Amino acid sequence: MEALAKGNLNYVDAADVLRCCARINYHSNDLIRSLVVEILHSNSIGSLNCTQLSGIALSLAKLKWGLKGKLGGSCFGDKSKPDVLFMQCVEGITQRWDQPDLADQSLVTVLSAIGKWGPTWINQNKEMVSCLVEEGCRRTRLSNYSIGQLTAIVHSVGTLGCASEDAVSSLVDEVCRGNRLSELNPSGVALVVYGLGSTGLNYSEQIYELVEKALQPSTLANMSNQGLCMLLTGFEKMGVRNSELLLPIVREAAIPPRLERMGLLDFLGIFHSYGRTYLRLAPGPILERIVQAFLAKGLIDGLGNRDLLNVMRCLAMCKYDRTEIWEKLISEASKGNRVDQFTPKDVSTLCWVMATSGVYDPELFKLLIDRYCAVLDASSVAELRIGVGQVVHSCAQLRYRASDLTAMLWNLMKENTRVAPLQLAQFLWMMGVIGWLRKDQYELMEGLKGAYVDADPSCHKKMQQFVKDLKLYARARKWGRLGIIDEVVPTTEYGLDELGKPCPFVHEVGSLLTKLNVGHFYMRVLGVVNGFVFSVPKRAVVLTLHSGAFVFNVRERQLKLIGPLAAKIISMEKIGYKVGCVAYHQWKALDETGKTELLLTAMEYAGKHIPPPPEKKSKKSF
C-alpha cells in the first residue's frame, strides 16, 4: 500500500502483486481495489500479453471468491473497477485469436477464471464465453494439451455450460484416447468425471474405461474428500441409476480414518452428494456412520442457516429415519431468531424437510408459515415456482390449516401471472386435503384437464394424480360423480415399494388373508396403493399403512396420519366405503397370533363378515 501511495509501482508490478495475493489467499479489499485502479489508470491492457491478461483474470476470480463469505455477496459490487478490469482482460484475449501469443495455457486459464467469476456474468456474456469454449475444444488444441491442461479444460467447460455437442464429443474422444487415462491422477479423474457430467453427457459405454479407472480401489483411496464428492455428483449428473456403482465411493468416504479428518465442508459435501444421487434409495448403514461421526464432532452447534438447511434437506432426500437425530436438527432450527432471518427459499425448504422426514414441530411450522406470509409478496418468480409448491405440499402432508396463507395463495393463483398450471393444481389439491376446497375453486379443474396433457413430461404424472384426487374430494362433497373404473382398479403391481421391489409387509397381510380363507382382491383403490378389497358391492377395504404414512409430532410425542391419506380415507367413507387399517409399526412388533388379531380387528371395523371355511363333503359309499 505504501509503494502504491508513493507511485513506485507500475502496472506490471501491480499485476504481479495481484497474482501473489491470489496465490497466498491474501484477501484485503482495499489493497485489491488499489492494485486494480493502478492497472486501469495506466491504460495498459493493450500492451499486456495473453499470459498476463489471463493471469490477472484468474487472480481477480480467486480473490472475489475468497472475499464472498466475509462481505456477504460479491465483494466488488455491480459495475465496480475489478469487474471492468475482468471484462477488459477477457475481451483482450478474445481479440487475439490469430496471434501466436494466445497459448494453450492462457486459454485454459481464462476459462477457469470465467468459471470462478460466476453464472450471472456468464449468462450476460454467453456469446463471448461460447466462442472461448469452442476455441478451447478445437481438436488441434486438445491434442496439444498436457494432462493437467486437459483436466482443467474439461472441468471448466462443464462448469460454464456453453459447450456444443461437437465440443463435448471432442473432449470425450481426447480423454479416452491412447494412454491419456493412465496419466490422470485421482484428483484429475474426479475433475474429469464432474466436468463431463456437467456438460450433460449421459453415462454410456463410451466412457466405460474412465468409470472403471474412477472406481479402482487405489484411485478412491488416494482421492480427497472433495474429489469423492465431485465423483458422486458427476455420476449423478450423467444419470447413473445403479447404486452398486456408487456404493464403493461412499464406502471409501465413510471409513473411520477419513471421518476423523473431515471438517464441516467435507461433511456438507458428502451429505449433498449422497442426497442427490440414487444412493438415497439404498440401505443406509453407511449414511448412519457418517451422521454419527458428524454428530460426534459437535458440528450441529453453530451451523449457519444455509448449512443447517442443507444438512436437513440432504438427510430428508436420503429418507433418513432416526427420529432422535431429526429432533436435534429441528431444535437447532428453532433456536433464537433463526426463523426471522429465513428467506422465502429457506422457509419453503424447512417446511418441505419436516413434511418429508416425517418428524415435525407444530410450533416451528406455524412460525414458518407466518414468516412465509410476511415475505411472500417480496418473492421473485423463480422463488415462487419452487417455494409455493414446497409449502403447499407441506401443508397438505401435515394437514395444516392456515387461513392467511390460503387466502394469499388464492389471490396469487387468481392473478395467474406468476404461477404455473401445476402450482394451481397443487394448490387446489391442498385445499381438498385440508377440507377447505370450495365449489368455485373446484370448477377451475375443467381448465386443468387440458393443461396436464401439454405439461412438461416430468409434471404430467403429478398433474394427473392431483386431478384424480380432486375428483374424489368433489365426489365426497356430492359435486361430481365417479365411475366404477375410477374407484376400483385392479393392479398386477402387488405391493411394490419405491424401488419397484415386492413389499414383504403387504405380502404378509395378503398371505394371512389367504390362510384365513377370505376371498380378497389386491387393488388400487382411488389412488390408495396397497388396499385389499373384500367386496366391491359392499366396498369393504383394509389398507396397509407403511411407516411413511405417518408423521411424528415432537410436541405431543405421537404419530399422526399424513394429510393426503387421511383425506382419502375420509372421502372414501363419505362415498360409502368401510375402511380398516393395519399399520406397519404395530404389525412388526407382533407374533403370528397378534398379527391375526390385528387383521381381524381391522376387518371387523371395515364391516366384513368372515365366513367359516367351507366343510369338506364326505364321499358317498356304495
Side-chain angles (χ1 to χ4, degrees), residues 348 350-353 355 365 389-400:
S348 60
L350 188 49
C351 286
W352 178 86
V353 163
F365 194 80
Q390 289 181 328
V391 171
V392 165
H393 164 79
S394 304
C395 288
Q397 194 79 352
L398 303 177
R399 214 152 191 264
Y400 181 83

Side-chain angles (χ1 to χ4, degrees), residues 113-131:
I114 294 171
K116 293 178 182 295
W117 195 256
T120 302
W121 191 93
I122 295 170
N123 290 331
Q124 291 171 348
N125 301 277
K126 202 156 192 173
E127 186 176 347
M128 181 167 58
V129 175
S130 297
C131 290

Side-chain angles (χ1 to χ4, degrees), residues 319-330:
K319 303 190 181 302
Y320 187 71
D321 59 358
R322 289 285 297 278
T323 302
E324 64 274 19
I325 305 303
W326 279 115
E327 289 190 56
K328 287 182 182 179
L329 292 167
I330 290 173

Side-chain angles (χ1 to χ4, degrees), residues 215 231-232 235-236 240-251 277-279:
L215 297 179
L231 206 56
L232 279 171
F235 283 137
E236 185 269 334
V240 173
R241 302 294 190 268
N242 185 359
S243 61
E244 293 299 322
L245 191 67
L246 303 173
L247 277 172
I249 307 172
V250 182
R251 286 197 186 101
T277 64
Y278 282 76
L279 280 166

Side-chain angles (χ1 to χ4, degrees), residues 274-288:
Y274 203 111
R276 288 191 64 178
T277 64
Y278 282 76
L279 280 166
R280 63 179 180 268
L281 300 180
I286 299 174
L287 177 64
E288 180 64 31

Side-chain angles (χ1 to χ4, degrees), residues 524-568:
R524 291 183 186 275
V525 186
L526 297 166
V528 179
V529 186
N530 301 337
F532 289 95
V533 182
F534 298 96
S535 170
V536 173
K538 291 186 178 180
R539 297 184 176 183
V541 182
V542 167
L543 302 181
T544 53
L545 305 180
H546 295 264
S547 54
F550 300 90
V551 289
F552 180 71
N553 186 324
V554 299
R555 299 281 177 176
E556 299 176 4
R557 313 298 301 173
Q558 65 181 15
L559 293 172
K560 171 183 173 183
L561 204 61
I562 60 172
L565 190 52
K568 279 187 177 178

Side-chain angles (χ1 to χ4, degrees), residues 146-167:
S146 67
I147 193 62
Q149 291 172 332
L150 180 62
T151 301
I153 203 77
V154 172
H155 182 256
S156 297
V157 168
T159 304
L160 296 173
C162 300
S164 64
E165 291 185 12
D166 290 340

